């Protein structure tokens, strides 16, 4: 069985991977850019918002991080990675 991924989603996944790589080396601004581009292509992907939230938090941009964490929960309420950060950012 072959899974067909539309090109736009494939591009979003590629951008997510690039964002993850940038985040891993501490290039938070570049990571945010990649995640933002991916979100434009796949705005219902909760992982993209969660990852961008982490990048914002690493930059100390806690309001942006909170907004993305809240968006993550609105898309996927049971996403476990975001529960702790939302509590932290809202303190």
């Amino acid at each position: 069985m072959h899974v067909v991924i539309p090109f736009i989603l494939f591009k979003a996944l590629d951008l997510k991977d690039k964002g993850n790589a940038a985040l891993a080396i501490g290039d938070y601004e570049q990571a945010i850019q990649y995640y933002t581009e991916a979100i434009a292509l796949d705005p219902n992907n909760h992982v993209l918002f969660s990852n961008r939230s982490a990048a914002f938090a690493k930059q100390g941009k806690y309001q942006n991080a909170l907004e993305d964490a809240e968006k993550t929960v609105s898309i996927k309420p049971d996403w476990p990675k975001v529960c702790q950060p939302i509590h932290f950012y809202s303190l």
Side-chain angles (χ1 to χ4, degrees), residues 29-70:
E29 195 61 42
Q30 186 63 62
I32 290 166
Q33 181 61 40
Y34 284 132
Y35 295 137
T36 300
E37 290 177 31
I39 287 167
L41 297 174
D42 189 6
N44 293 313
N45 186 328
H46 63 283
V47 175
L48 299 174
F49 285 98
S50 179
N51 291 4
R52 190 172 70 174
S53 177
F56 278 131
K58 292 285 189 177
Q59 281 191 321
K61 295 180 178 178
Y62 300 116
Q63 184 60 42
N64 297 90
L66 176 60
E67 290 169 10
D68 276 358
E70 290 174 338

Side-chain angles (χ1 to χ4, degrees), residues 75-87:
I75 296 169
K76 185 155 177 65
D78 61 341
W79 185 242
K81 287 185 175 184
V82 82
C83 294
Q84 183 180 8
I86 284 181
H87 174 72

